[in-house]
Amino acid sequence: MDYTTYGQSCREPHITPSSELVECRRDRGHSADVHATRAGAGIIVWEISAEAA
């Protein structure tokens, strides 16, 4: 099981195609280009484009 506490999480926000707000749960300080929710069947991964950064 992998678990990053909310306080240790990146928390970069993302709106899914179904208009759901999710936050990155990878460790704070990870590579800034790829974000993801917690691992599992419903994992959501997104990238930050160069224009948005």
Side-chain angles (χ1 to χ4, degrees), residues 14-41:
H14 174 68
I15 304 293
T16 67
S18 61
S19 299
E20 178 184 7
L21 173 63
V22 295
E23 294 180 323
C24 180
R25 290 302 302 270
R26 292 182 65 195
D27 286 332
R28 192 179 317 141
H30 69 85
S31 171
D33 58 344
V34 178
H35 296 276
T37 59
R38 290 175 57 189

